[in-house]
Each structure stands twice: as structure tokens, then as C-alpha cells.
Amino acid sequence: MNYYVTTSIPYVNGEPHIGFGMELVQADVLARAARQRNNKVLFSTGADEHGGKIAEKAREKGIDTKIFTDQMSQNFRDLGKLLNISNDRFVRTTDAGHEQRAQLVWEALDKDIYKSKYTGLYCTGCEAFVTEAIAKENNGQCPNHERAYEKIEEENYFFKLSSYSAQIEKAIKDGSLKIVPKTKRNEILSVIHEGLEDISISRPKDKISWGIPVPGDDTQVMYVWFEALMNYITVLGYPEHSDFKSYWPANVQVIGKDILRFHAAIWPGMLIALKLPLPKQLYVHGFITITGQKISKSTGLVVHPKEIVDKYSADVFRYYFLKHIPSYNDGDFSWEKLEAAYNNELANELGNAVQRTAAMIKLYQNNIIGNTPEATHDVAQYWEALDDCRFDKALEEVWEQVRGLNQYIDETKPWEIHKQGDTEHLREVLAYQVTCLLEIAELLEPFMPETSTKIRQTFETGVVRPIDGTLFPKSEKVTTG
Ligand SMILES: [Zn+2]
């Protein structure tokens, strides 16, 4: 079976933050797990590079806009490498391929597009229009960017999203577009139920030139949000490429809760208008606070993914954000919580189970493991959790096995069996421990690929091979920030 998974494509006007690091890791777990189950996987991420905000940033820095986006999108590629992300594609909305195919999408939507006068309030920081009501609520100023909304009066193209409200609502209700968690599904359903309005999908070129030209009208460029959504099919080669034919619809699209409306209302509307199937599942993650406070560049409350990886490792980053940020809710990061998870769960539980099993086989059996029994643990709940993007729950299932193994060792006391000289029984006990560890390694592969490989390399050949260093060393490099 083919399996297609995507992340959202972040806007490249700033450095990547831990929230997007988490999103990459979540999608990577889905991709790796699908590969483990012998699917043909295509995993795509990328960068959103058009719009007035980007052009403005480049101007501030005094560099050419294209050069600016080259530099900025590289930061996001580097983040993928840093976190050991196994994506197959990296789409940039300034790629010629995306630009050309986005124009084909626009042309295919032609009968649902019309030109009209637009009057409204706009925040360039958000690259979004706001309603009068919201503007009033915020005293005429965007709370995220602390800048006054600009009053805009212009001729724009509109997409007839309103005609698809009923169909979108039906698809979400009957589960053909599954949205998890349910709270997000209900939230968007109530928005759609009110009836969706047509949306403005272009800007005059004389106001914003950094965008994809509207086909057949060189006075207009596509609105960045509208065009960015198309990346999910342009990266597959919409409309004619065999990848598009064999991988669309996506199995899971991973997004953050701030862009729910774009992905659960506008994007499905576009797809229905294009007569294309909807993605099967939309997974919506929450926000991350740092020691209980909102991430904020202005107050300096920012943690870079690289700081975490440098102090610990990519696997530790992955573990923390998959296990200790609730998959269906907002969560909190602090150096203290990370260190506690590292010491208690990774070093004392997983690391310890691996280390003492290896040490006993070395000491009592000269590293010889011998035949290992079949794995017997029920992993149905683990897979069920993964199908629902409950990464925290899937890891909890793995940790039940880790704790179960440590308990088994404590109760069976192989060192006493050794004292009694019952070598056959001792061999069976230690072989069982190895089976458990290999099973744990397999379940961990999507989550912590490097740790999984180390455990397998230690035990899978029938002879214990020494681990290159301790699995999760406790050392002074672990500091609190
Ligand atoms: Zn704003």
C-alpha cells in the first residue's frame, strides 16, 4: 500500500522553533511506522516562501528576496537533519515546479473563481484579513504583531468556498475526513455549520509582488495562504505525474491548531472543487509553552531545537516531545522536566534494562545469548494509538514493557540462579530478557531510531556486542537552563 504523510510548510520569516520540531518528529513517526508495516511511503515537508511579510523581512535585511528565502529555508532543511527526519521530499513554494503547478491548480478551479471588490482589514504580520468584529475586539491592532490593521480596498479574486460548506461538513461528520483530536473536529464543525464565506485568494501585484502570478492576469498574484495549501499536491506532480496518481489522497496531514481553518475548511473546499478526494486524516497538535509561558521572541523566551539536541541527542528531543507533550493537547517544555524524563525514564528504566541484561550475559555466559524465544507481547494497543496519532499513548505502551522487563529481572533475580548453578534456567531467563529488548527496540524504531538501532545491534546476532558508550549516560553535560 502507498502511504503519504505531510507536515505543514512553515513560513520562513523566522528561525524554526521547537513547535515545528515537534511537528516534524510526529510526522516522522508516522512515516517510519508505515515503512515498518511495508507500505511504500512518501513523506513530504517544506517551506512557505511567498508573501509581503517575507519581502518585508528581506528588505529590512537589505538582501534580495530570493537569496533571503534560500537562506531561511535552509534552516528548516537543517532542522530535519538535526532531528533525524526521514522525509522524502522538501517542497519550496518558490520552486519552479510548485509555481507552475499552482497555476494549473488555479486554472482547474476557474469556474469557482470570480473577481470582486474587497474592503477589509489586513495584518501583514499574519498575512491575513480579519473581520470588523475581531478588529474591534483587538482595538484596531493585531495582538500577535502589535501593529495596526491596514484598511484595504482593492479588486481581488475570490474562491467560492461558500458553495462547498455542506459537502465539507458532511465529509467531516461521516469520517471520510477524519480529524483528530475530536475537540478540533467539533471546533471546526461549528465554524463550518455557520456557513463558510467566499475567500479572497489574490492580492494586487502593485501591493505585493512576491508571489505567484495569477494565470491570465498579470496585475494580480495569488494570496500566499491559498497557494501554499496547494503544495500538498504540487509536490506529487499534480495533475499528471504518477506519484500524484498513486499517493493522493494523503493518509495523514499533520498541522498545528492555529491553522486548523485553512486545512479543515479551505483546503477541503479546494479539493472538492478540483474533484479530488480529501485527505483521510488530519492530525492537529497543540501549542508548547516554555516553563508555563508562551514562546515569545520579544521576551527572549525561546528554546532552539539545536540547544536540546546538542545537550542530549535527537532521540531525547524526539522522546520528550512525543511522550511529555500530550498528543491531543497543549504541553509544556522545561529543562527540569526534560532532565527528569531523561534520568527517570531513559537512563533508569530503558538504559538500565539494556545495560544489566548485556552485563549479565557477558559475566555469566561469556556474551553468548543462544536461542531466543518468540515475542509474545500484545501490541494491538500500540498500533491503535499510532493510527489515532496518540504518540504519547503508544510510548506509554512501550514503557509498560520496559517497566515489566525491569520488574521481571528484579523478581527472577538471575544473579541468584547463577549462584545456584542452574545454567540452563539462567540461559532461558536471559534469553527471554533479550527477546523483550528486541521487541522494545522494534516498537521504538519510529520514535527513537538511533536508540532502537543500538539495542538491536547489541543483541540481535546471538552474541552480545558492546554498546558504543552508555545508552543514556548521566553526566555533567546535562544542565538546567
Ligand atoms: Zn498579525
Side-chain angles (χ1 to χ4, degrees):
M1 288 256 289
N2 290 335
Y3 186 98
Y4 179 39
V5 56
T6 68
T7 67
S8 65
I9 53 169
Y11 204 50
V12 296
N13 66 325
E15 301 269 319
H17 56 80
I18 50 176
F20 187 65
M22 175 175 80
E23 181 171 319
L24 278 175
V25 166
Q26 290 168 331
D28 191 52
V29 170
L30 298 174
R32 287 175 184 270
R35 286 190 204 103
Q36 243 185 354
R37 288 202 266 191
N38 295 320
N39 291 288
K40 272 182 71 185
V41 173
L42 204 150
F43 171 15
S44 179
T45 180
D48 181 6
E49 304 185 3
H50 285 126
K53 193 159 50 166
I54 304 258
E56 192 181 84
K57 266 267 151 81
R59 217 176 305 122
E60 270 170 33
K61 295 194 180 256
I63 41 178
D64 174 78
T65 316
K66 181 69 171 70
I67 291 170
F68 176 69
T69 60
D70 287 348
Q71 289 169 0
M72 295 305 279
S73 68
Q74 188 60 40
N75 293 336
F76 288 85
R77 266 187 218 268
D78 292 346
L79 178 67
K81 283 208 188 75
L82 182 78
L83 298 176
N84 206 358
I85 302 303
S86 64
N87 61 299
D88 305 284
R89 305 260 163 100
F90 187 96
V91 58
R92 297 180 56 188
T93 56
T94 55
D95 286 340
H98 172 78
E99 295 190 345
Q100 287 157 8
R101 292 180 190 281
Q103 291 183 322
L104 296 179
V105 175
W106 183 287
E107 282 165 358
L109 289 171
D110 187 55
K111 70 167 183 38
D112 289 292
I113 292 175
Y114 62 92
K115 203 170 191 180
S116 175
K117 188 155 219 122
Y118 188 90
T119 323
L121 297 164
Y122 192 83
C123 172
T124 307
C126 300
E127 294 286 6
F129 291 99
V130 294
T131 60
E132 291 281 353
I134 289 173
K136 212 169 183 183
E137 217 171 89
N138 296 333
N139 297 318
Q141 177 175 303
C142 170
N144 297 324
H145 299 96
E146 291 166 356
R147 58 201 276 176
Y149 295 117
E150 293 161 62
K151 181 136 188 159
I152 282 176
E153 210 185 300
E154 57 194 32
E155 282 249 302
N156 286 340
Y157 286 98
F158 282 75
F159 171 63
K160 284 187 200 162
L161 183 61
S162 60
S163 13
Y164 298 104
S165 281
Q167 276 169 277
I168 300 165
E169 187 176 357
K170 182 175 172 293
I172 296 173
K173 276 191 170 157
D174 71 20
S176 42
L177 169 56
K178 179 180 168 186
I179 300 175
V180 292
K182 256 216 169 91
T183 50
K184 295 297 162 215
R185 171 188 179 270
N186 296 340
E187 193 180 307
I188 195 67
L189 274 177
S190 75
V191 172
I192 298 168
H193 194 72
E194 299 285 300
L196 296 166
E197 288 176 14
D198 291 351
I199 53 163
S200 163
I201 56 168
S202 73
R203 300 293 315 276
K205 199 175 177 177
D206 55 8
K207 300 240 173 76
I208 291 182
S209 61
W210 187 245
I212 301 177
V214 167
D217 183 348
D218 57 16
T219 68
Q220 295 263 327
V221 299
M222 296 182 198
Y223 175 47
V224 57
W225 261 109
F226 190 64
E227 162 250 300
L229 287 167
M230 301 173 188
N231 92 84
Y232 304 124
I233 55 175
T234 63
V235 71
L236 297 176
Y238 169 88
E240 85 295 344
H241 197 280
S242 62
D243 282 347
F244 172 67
K245 288 172 185 156
S246 55
Y247 283 102
W248 189 260
N251 294 69
V252 185
Q253 299 204 260
V254 179
I255 61 161
K257 68 177 185 181
D258 54 328
I259 51 176
L260 176 65
R261 202 174 65 89
F262 290 100
H263 286 80
I266 298 173
W267 178 226
M270 291 162 70
L271 289 166
I272 294 170
L274 290 167
K275 297 188 170 57
L276 292 175
L278 303 185
K280 291 175 187 154
Q281 186 169 194
L282 194 60
Y283 163 64
V284 188
H285 65 74
F287 282 168
I288 298 169
T289 51
I290 297 176
T291 38
Q293 286 175 286
K294 210 179 133 190
I295 295 175
S296 161
K297 272 177 210 157
S298 53
T299 61
L301 196 64
V302 178
V303 174
H304 293 287
K306 194 169 182 315
E307 290 178 64
I308 299 173
V309 174
D310 285 350
K311 275 184 186 158
Y312 295 87
S313 67
D315 270 8
V316 173
F317 180 101
R318 295 169 68 106
Y319 178 78
Y320 186 85
F321 286 94
L322 293 164
K323 177 72 175 16
H324 289 277
I325 303 297
S327 306
Y328 279 7
N329 218 323
D330 295 339
D332 188 53
F333 169 85
S334 75
W335 289 104
E336 288 76 12
K337 283 185 210 163
L338 174 61
E339 192 171 358
Y342 180 89
N343 286 331
N344 300 336
E345 293 150 41
L346 296 176
N348 291 350
E349 293 180 333
L350 179 59
N352 191 32
V354 170
Q355 244 93 51
R356 58 181 177 160
T357 300
M360 286 189 283
I361 296 170
K362 182 180 179 193
L363 189 63
Y364 305 145
Q365 297 180 171
N366 198 23
N367 283 330
I368 307 291
I369 300 167
N371 289 332
T372 48
E374 292 284 310
T376 54
H377 287 97
D378 182 7
V379 292
Q381 291 201 325
Y382 166 92
W383 286 111
E384 209 176 284
L386 266 185
D387 284 339
D388 291 333
C389 301
R390 285 291 312 265
F391 307 103
D392 50 357
K393 208 174 155 205
L395 273 173
E396 191 48 46
E397 290 292 320
V398 180
W399 247 256
E400 266 178 37
Q401 289 198 29
V402 174
R403 289 179 188 128
L405 173 57
N406 278 320
Q407 197 183 348
Y408 172 84
I409 299 171
D410 292 342
E411 285 168 0
T412 319
K413 300 185 174 66
W415 46 92
E416 294 200 345
I417 304 174
H418 171 71
K419 262 190 227 156
Q420 289 151 11
D422 191 347
T423 53
E424 186 48 26
H425 183 42
L426 179 63
R427 204 201 58 74
E428 276 170 21
V429 166
L430 294 175
Y432 173 75
Q433 291 175 213
V434 168
T435 291
C436 291
L437 286 170
L438 289 174
E439 202 177 354
I440 288 163
E442 196 177 325
L443 299 176
L444 275 184
E445 202 282 331
F447 295 85
M448 304 174 78
E450 286 170 356
T451 303
S452 168
T453 302
K454 277 186 185 169
I455 297 173
R456 275 192 288 103
Q457 285 173 347
T458 305
F459 297 109
E460 73 186 352
T461 63
V463 175
V464 171
R465 288 164 184 271
I467 306 171
D468 184 20
T470 319
L471 207 49
F472 298 103
K474 289 196 218 175
S475 78
E476 60 291 343
K477 78 168 177 173
V478 176
T479 57
T480 56

